[in-house]
Amino acid sequence: MKTLFAGIALFGTIALASAQTITFDKTTFDYGVIKPNSDGHRFFNITNTGDKPLIISNVKASCGCTTPEFNQDPIAPGKTAKIKVGYATANAGPFNKMIEVFSNDPVNSRSVIYIKGDVNANAPEPKPLTPEELKAKAKADKKGAKAAKKVAATN
């Protein structure tokens, strides 16, 4: 009987060790001090550090002023995906918002990420983007729009 329990415990440990695992590049994105009506979109990178496909099933913001966009396609082991988060920068004042990320990670099926910052009319002007940064931003915006369109089509 002891060997049966030991076998079950060993199998459970192996099953968890060979699962999909969600890993974030950061769990808080600090906008800093920004001007009203400035670009409120930021990206969180997710990496599947497990050895089975990771599926993001839902991403929920704590309020209507924060809009997350994500793709429900499986993330292969070792691959990365993005969650695009938008904040309504017309709302003046400091903000600290929570976003819940639900996945098939057996240990972290619900993860929490945050955005924070301060929308202030006296904020310094943003520095102009370099051509490389403009290209990267355009590519990220295009990918985010494609992901949002795909999510809208499935809902």
PDB file of all heavy atoms in Angstrom, residues 21-24 45-54 56 73-82 143:
ATOM      1  N   THR A  21       3.963  26.434 -18.059  1.00  0.00           N
ATOM      2  CA  THR A  21       4.265  27.363 -16.980  1.00  0.00           C
ATOM      3  C   THR A  21       4.276  28.790 -17.523  1.00  0.00           C
ATOM      4  O   THR A  21       5.003  29.079 -18.471  1.00  0.00           O
ATOM      5  CB  THR A  21       5.642  27.036 -16.350  1.00  0.00           C
ATOM      6  OG1 THR A  21       5.651  25.667 -15.963  1.00  0.00           O
ATOM      7  CG2 THR A  21       5.908  27.905 -15.142  1.00  0.00           C
ATOM      8  N   ILE A  22       3.499  29.667 -16.931  1.00  0.00           N
ATOM      9  CA  ILE A  22       3.433  31.060 -17.365  1.00  0.00           C
ATOM     10  C   ILE A  22       4.493  31.882 -16.635  1.00  0.00           C
ATOM     11  O   ILE A  22       4.656  31.756 -15.423  1.00  0.00           O
ATOM     12  CB  ILE A  22       2.017  31.651 -17.144  1.00  0.00           C
ATOM     13  CG1 ILE A  22       1.871  33.000 -17.838  1.00  0.00           C
ATOM     14  CG2 ILE A  22       1.674  31.739 -15.676  1.00  0.00           C
ATOM     15  CD1 ILE A  22       0.437  33.498 -17.904  1.00  0.00           C
ATOM     16  N   THR A  23       5.243  32.671 -17.398  1.00  0.00           N
ATOM     17  CA  THR A  23       6.265  33.540 -16.841  1.00  0.00           C
ATOM     18  C   THR A  23       6.130  34.910 -17.493  1.00  0.00           C
ATOM     19  O   THR A  23       6.032  34.998 -18.715  1.00  0.00           O
ATOM     20  CB  THR A  23       7.680  32.971 -17.107  1.00  0.00           C
ATOM     21  OG1 THR A  23       7.734  31.637 -16.614  1.00  0.00           O
ATOM     22  CG2 THR A  23       8.743  33.802 -16.428  1.00  0.00           C
ATOM     23  N   PHE A  24       6.131  35.968 -16.697  1.00  0.00           N
ATOM     24  CA  PHE A  24       6.008  37.336 -17.198  1.00  0.00           C
ATOM     25  C   PHE A  24       7.367  38.019 -17.199  1.00  0.00           C
ATOM     26  O   PHE A  24       8.172  37.783 -16.301  1.00  0.00           O
ATOM     27  CB  PHE A  24       5.051  38.147 -16.315  1.00  0.00           C
ATOM     28  CG  PHE A  24       3.638  37.658 -16.362  1.00  0.00           C
ATOM     29  CD1 PHE A  24       3.183  36.694 -15.473  1.00  0.00           C
ATOM     30  CD2 PHE A  24       2.751  38.163 -17.306  1.00  0.00           C
ATOM     31  CE1 PHE A  24       1.878  36.243 -15.517  1.00  0.00           C
ATOM     32  CE2 PHE A  24       1.439  37.710 -17.356  1.00  0.00           C
ATOM     33  CZ  PHE A  24       1.003  36.749 -16.469  1.00  0.00           C
ATOM     34  N   ASN A  45       5.084  40.838 -21.804  1.00  0.00           N
ATOM     35  CA  ASN A  45       5.517  39.632 -22.509  1.00  0.00           C
ATOM     36  C   ASN A  45       5.298  38.428 -21.609  1.00  0.00           C
ATOM     37  O   ASN A  45       5.647  38.452 -20.423  1.00  0.00           O
ATOM     38  CB  ASN A  45       6.997  39.712 -22.892  1.00  0.00           C
ATOM     39  CG  ASN A  45       7.233  40.759 -23.958  1.00  0.00           C
ATOM     40  OD1 ASN A  45       6.492  40.851 -24.921  1.00  0.00           O
ATOM     41  ND2 ASN A  45       8.266  41.553 -23.779  1.00  0.00           N
ATOM     42  N   ILE A  46       4.726  37.384 -22.191  1.00  0.00           N
ATOM     43  CA  ILE A  46       4.489  36.125 -21.487  1.00  0.00           C
ATOM     44  C   ILE A  46       5.330  35.063 -22.172  1.00  0.00           C
ATOM     45  O   ILE A  46       5.322  34.962 -23.402  1.00  0.00           O
ATOM     46  CB  ILE A  46       3.017  35.703 -21.588  1.00  0.00           C
ATOM     47  CG1 ILE A  46       2.117  36.739 -20.976  1.00  0.00           C
ATOM     48  CG2 ILE A  46       2.796  34.347 -20.940  1.00  0.00           C
ATOM     49  CD1 ILE A  46       0.662  36.488 -21.274  1.00  0.00           C
ATOM     50  N   THR A  47       6.031  34.263 -21.396  1.00  0.00           N
ATOM     51  CA  THR A  47       6.800  33.160 -21.945  1.00  0.00           C
ATOM     52  C   THR A  47       6.308  31.863 -21.320  1.00  0.00           C
ATOM     53  O   THR A  47       6.049  31.802 -20.120  1.00  0.00           O
ATOM     54  CB  THR A  47       8.309  33.332 -21.660  1.00  0.00           C
ATOM     55  OG1 THR A  47       8.731  34.585 -22.206  1.00  0.00           O
ATOM     56  CG2 THR A  47       9.129  32.202 -22.268  1.00  0.00           C
ATOM     57  N   ASN A  48       6.166  30.849 -22.143  1.00  0.00           N
ATOM     58  CA  ASN A  48       5.821  29.515 -21.649  1.00  0.00           C
ATOM     59  C   ASN A  48       7.131  28.819 -21.321  1.00  0.00           C
ATOM     60  O   ASN A  48       7.847  28.375 -22.207  1.00  0.00           O
ATOM     61  CB  ASN A  48       5.041  28.734 -22.711  1.00  0.00           C
ATOM     62  CG  ASN A  48       4.680  27.345 -22.248  1.00  0.00           C
ATOM     63  OD1 ASN A  48       5.018  26.927 -21.143  1.00  0.00           O
ATOM     64  ND2 ASN A  48       3.985  26.611 -23.106  1.00  0.00           N
ATOM     65  N   THR A  49       7.460  28.724 -20.047  1.00  0.00           N
ATOM     66  CA  THR A  49       8.707  28.091 -19.625  1.00  0.00           C
ATOM     67  C   THR A  49       8.513  26.608 -19.293  1.00  0.00           C
ATOM     68  O   THR A  49       9.437  25.970 -18.798  1.00  0.00           O
ATOM     69  CB  THR A  49       9.310  28.829 -18.411  1.00  0.00           C
ATOM     70  OG1 THR A  49       8.330  28.910 -17.376  1.00  0.00           O
ATOM     71  CG2 THR A  49       9.761  30.225 -18.798  1.00  0.00           C
ATOM     72  N   GLY A  50       7.340  26.088 -19.602  1.00  0.00           N
ATOM     73  CA  GLY A  50       7.078  24.659 -19.399  1.00  0.00           C
ATOM     74  C   GLY A  50       7.348  23.881 -20.664  1.00  0.00           C
ATOM     75  O   GLY A  50       7.973  24.378 -21.611  1.00  0.00           O
ATOM     76  N   ASP A  51       6.861  22.642 -20.689  1.00  0.00           N
ATOM     77  CA  ASP A  51       7.091  21.808 -21.873  1.00  0.00           C
ATOM     78  C   ASP A  51       5.793  21.332 -22.519  1.00  0.00           C
ATOM     79  O   ASP A  51       5.792  20.396 -23.298  1.00  0.00           O
ATOM     80  CB  ASP A  51       8.012  20.632 -21.540  1.00  0.00           C
ATOM     81  CG  ASP A  51       7.447  19.704 -20.479  1.00  0.00           C
ATOM     82  OD1 ASP A  51       6.304  19.928 -20.018  1.00  0.00           O
ATOM     83  OD2 ASP A  51       8.141  18.756 -20.102  1.00  0.00           O
ATOM     84  N   LYS A  52       4.686  22.001 -22.209  1.00  0.00           N
ATOM     85  CA  LYS A  52       3.393  21.742 -22.849  1.00  0.00           C
ATOM     86  C   LYS A  52       2.806  23.083 -23.264  1.00  0.00           C
ATOM     87  O   LYS A  52       3.148  24.116 -22.688  1.00  0.00           O
ATOM     88  CB  LYS A  52       2.443  21.019 -21.892  1.00  0.00           C
ATOM     89  CG  LYS A  52       2.882  19.607 -21.567  1.00  0.00           C
ATOM     90  CD  LYS A  52       1.856  18.912 -20.713  1.00  0.00           C
ATOM     91  CE  LYS A  52       2.353  17.490 -20.426  1.00  0.00           C
ATOM     92  NZ  LYS A  52       1.448  16.795 -19.525  1.00  0.00           N
ATOM     93  N   PRO A  53       1.903  23.116 -24.245  1.00  0.00           N
ATOM     94  CA  PRO A  53       1.326  24.388 -24.694  1.00  0.00           C
ATOM     95  C   PRO A  53       0.582  25.126 -23.569  1.00  0.00           C
ATOM     96  O   PRO A  53      -0.153  24.534 -22.795  1.00  0.00           O
ATOM     97  CB  PRO A  53       0.357  23.979 -25.805  1.00  0.00           C
ATOM     98  CG  PRO A  53       0.884  22.672 -26.295  1.00  0.00           C
ATOM     99  CD  PRO A  53       1.470  21.992 -25.090  1.00  0.00           C
ATOM    100  N   LEU A  54       0.810  26.435 -23.520  1.00  0.00           N
ATOM    101  CA  LEU A  54       0.169  27.309 -22.546  1.00  0.00           C
ATOM    102  C   LEU A  54      -0.965  28.044 -23.241  1.00  0.00           C
ATOM    103  O   LEU A  54      -0.788  28.565 -24.343  1.00  0.00           O
ATOM    104  CB  LEU A  54       1.182  28.324 -22.005  1.00  0.00           C
ATOM    105  CG  LEU A  54       0.656  29.394 -21.062  1.00  0.00           C
ATOM    106  CD1 LEU A  54       0.242  28.781 -19.718  1.00  0.00           C
ATOM    107  CD2 LEU A  54       1.712  30.468 -20.840  1.00  0.00           C
ATOM    108  N   ILE A  56      -3.817  31.069 -22.718  1.00  0.00           N
ATOM    109  CA  ILE A  56      -4.400  32.168 -21.948  1.00  0.00           C
ATOM    110  C   ILE A  56      -5.897  32.135 -22.258  1.00  0.00           C
ATOM    111  O   ILE A  56      -6.302  32.362 -23.387  1.00  0.00           O
ATOM    112  CB  ILE A  56      -3.796  33.528 -22.358  1.00  0.00           C
ATOM    113  CG1 ILE A  56      -2.263  33.512 -22.262  1.00  0.00           C
ATOM    114  CG2 ILE A  56      -4.405  34.660 -21.530  1.00  0.00           C
ATOM    115  CD1 ILE A  56      -1.731  33.240 -20.888  1.00  0.00           C
ATOM    116  N   ASP A  73      -4.527  31.778 -28.907  1.00  0.00           N
ATOM    117  CA  ASP A  73      -3.764  30.691 -29.534  1.00  0.00           C
ATOM    118  C   ASP A  73      -2.796  30.110 -28.519  1.00  0.00           C
ATOM    119  O   ASP A  73      -2.200  30.851 -27.715  1.00  0.00           O
ATOM    120  CB  ASP A  73      -2.970  31.209 -30.746  1.00  0.00           C
ATOM    121  CG  ASP A  73      -3.874  31.592 -31.907  1.00  0.00           C
ATOM    122  OD1 ASP A  73      -5.052  31.174 -31.916  1.00  0.00           O
ATOM    123  OD2 ASP A  73      -3.400  32.319 -32.796  1.00  0.00           O
ATOM    124  N   PRO A  74      -2.594  28.793 -28.518  1.00  0.00           N
ATOM    125  CA  PRO A  74      -1.639  28.190 -27.587  1.00  0.00           C
ATOM    126  C   PRO A  74      -0.235  28.757 -27.780  1.00  0.00           C
ATOM    127  O   PRO A  74       0.186  29.027 -28.904  1.00  0.00           O
ATOM    128  CB  PRO A  74      -1.680  26.702 -27.944  1.00  0.00           C
ATOM    129  CG  PRO A  74      -2.991  26.501 -28.627  1.00  0.00           C
ATOM    130  CD  PRO A  74      -3.277  27.793 -29.340  1.00  0.00           C
ATOM    131  N   ILE A  75       0.464  28.938 -26.672  1.00  0.00           N
ATOM    132  CA  ILE A  75       1.849  29.399 -26.694  1.00  0.00           C
ATOM    133  C   ILE A  75       2.715  28.156 -26.514  1.00  0.00           C
ATOM    134  O   ILE A  75       2.658  27.488 -25.481  1.00  0.00           O
ATOM    135  CB  ILE A  75       2.118  30.419 -25.575  1.00  0.00           C
ATOM    136  CG1 ILE A  75       1.129  31.581 -25.672  1.00  0.00           C
ATOM    137  CG2 ILE A  75       3.557  30.917 -25.623  1.00  0.00           C
ATOM    138  CD1 ILE A  75       1.084  32.468 -24.442  1.00  0.00           C
ATOM    139  N   ALA A  76       3.495  27.836 -27.527  1.00  0.00           N
ATOM    140  CA  ALA A  76       4.334  26.635 -27.501  1.00  0.00           C
ATOM    141  C   ALA A  76       5.420  26.772 -26.434  1.00  0.00           C
ATOM    142  O   ALA A  76       5.813  27.885 -26.067  1.00  0.00           O
ATOM    143  CB  ALA A  76       4.959  26.418 -28.874  1.00  0.00           C
ATOM    144  N   PRO A  77       5.928  25.657 -25.935  1.00  0.00           N
ATOM    145  CA  PRO A  77       7.013  25.705 -24.949  1.00  0.00           C
ATOM    146  C   PRO A  77       8.196  26.529 -25.470  1.00  0.00           C
ATOM    147  O   PRO A  77       8.614  26.387 -26.612  1.00  0.00           O
ATOM    148  CB  PRO A  77       7.406  24.229 -24.777  1.00  0.00           C
ATOM    149  CG  PRO A  77       6.148  23.492 -25.112  1.00  0.00           C
ATOM    150  CD  PRO A  77       5.495  24.284 -26.209  1.00  0.00           C
ATOM    151  N   GLY A  78       8.673  27.441 -24.629  1.00  0.00           N
ATOM    152  CA  GLY A  78       9.806  28.288 -24.987  1.00  0.00           C
ATOM    153  C   GLY A  78       9.437  29.516 -25.803  1.00  0.00           C
ATOM    154  O   GLY A  78      10.267  30.380 -26.042  1.00  0.00           O
ATOM    155  N   LYS A  79       8.193  29.632 -26.226  1.00  0.00           N
ATOM    156  CA  LYS A  79       7.756  30.762 -27.054  1.00  0.00           C
ATOM    157  C   LYS A  79       7.155  31.868 -26.183  1.00  0.00           C
ATOM    158  O   LYS A  79       6.786  31.657 -25.033  1.00  0.00           O
ATOM    159  CB  LYS A  79       6.740  30.321 -28.102  1.00  0.00           C
ATOM    160  CG  LYS A  79       7.297  29.319 -29.089  1.00  0.00           C
ATOM    161  CD  LYS A  79       8.408  29.928 -29.899  1.00  0.00           C
ATOM    162  CE  LYS A  79       8.965  28.922 -30.883  1.00  0.00           C
ATOM    163  NZ  LYS A  79      10.099  29.408 -31.625  1.00  0.00           N
ATOM    164  N   THR A  80       7.044  33.055 -26.800  1.00  0.00           N
ATOM    165  CA  THR A  80       6.565  34.240 -26.103  1.00  0.00           C
ATOM    166  C   THR A  80       5.345  34.821 -26.809  1.00  0.00           C
ATOM    167  O   THR A  80       5.236  34.729 -28.027  1.00  0.00           O
ATOM    168  CB  THR A  80       7.690  35.295 -26.054  1.00  0.00           C
ATOM    169  OG1 THR A  80       8.815  34.735 -25.380  1.00  0.00           O
ATOM    170  CG2 THR A  80       7.269  36.543 -25.315  1.00  0.00           C
ATOM    171  N   ALA A  81       4.445  35.405 -26.042  1.00  0.00           N
ATOM    172  CA  ALA A  81       3.276  36.120 -26.570  1.00  0.00           C
ATOM    173  C   ALA A  81       3.167  37.431 -25.803  1.00  0.00           C
ATOM    174  O   ALA A  81       3.875  37.649 -24.816  1.00  0.00           O
ATOM    175  CB  ALA A  81       2.015  35.278 -26.405  1.00  0.00           C
ATOM    176  N   LYS A  82       2.271  38.293 -26.260  1.00  0.00           N
ATOM    177  CA  LYS A  82       2.099  39.599 -25.627  1.00  0.00           C
ATOM    178  C   LYS A  82       0.656  39.796 -25.175  1.00  0.00           C
ATOM    179  O   LYS A  82      -0.268  39.328 -25.823  1.00  0.00           O
ATOM    180  CB  LYS A  82       2.452  40.722 -26.602  1.00  0.00           C
ATOM    181  CG  LYS A  82       3.910  40.777 -26.985  1.00  0.00           C
ATOM    182  CD  LYS A  82       4.186  41.971 -27.874  1.00  0.00           C
ATOM    183  CE  LYS A  82       5.614  42.029 -28.335  1.00  0.00           C
ATOM    184  NZ  LYS A  82       6.583  42.236 -27.303  1.00  0.00           N
ATOM    185  N   LYS A 143       0.226  43.884 -34.658  1.00  0.00           N
ATOM    186  CA  LYS A 143       0.028  42.570 -34.058  1.00  0.00           C
ATOM    187  C   LYS A 143      -1.078  42.625 -32.999  1.00  0.00           C
ATOM    188  O   LYS A 143      -1.916  41.735 -32.909  1.00  0.00           O
ATOM    189  CB  LYS A 143       1.336  42.081 -33.436  1.00  0.00           C
ATOM    190  CG  LYS A 143       1.314  40.646 -33.002  1.00  0.00           C
ATOM    191  CD  LYS A 143       2.681  40.173 -32.567  1.00  0.00           C
ATOM    192  CE  LYS A 143       2.655  38.708 -32.232  1.00  0.00           C
ATOM    193  NZ  LYS A 143       3.964  38.199 -31.850  1.00  0.00           N
TER     194      LYS A 143
END
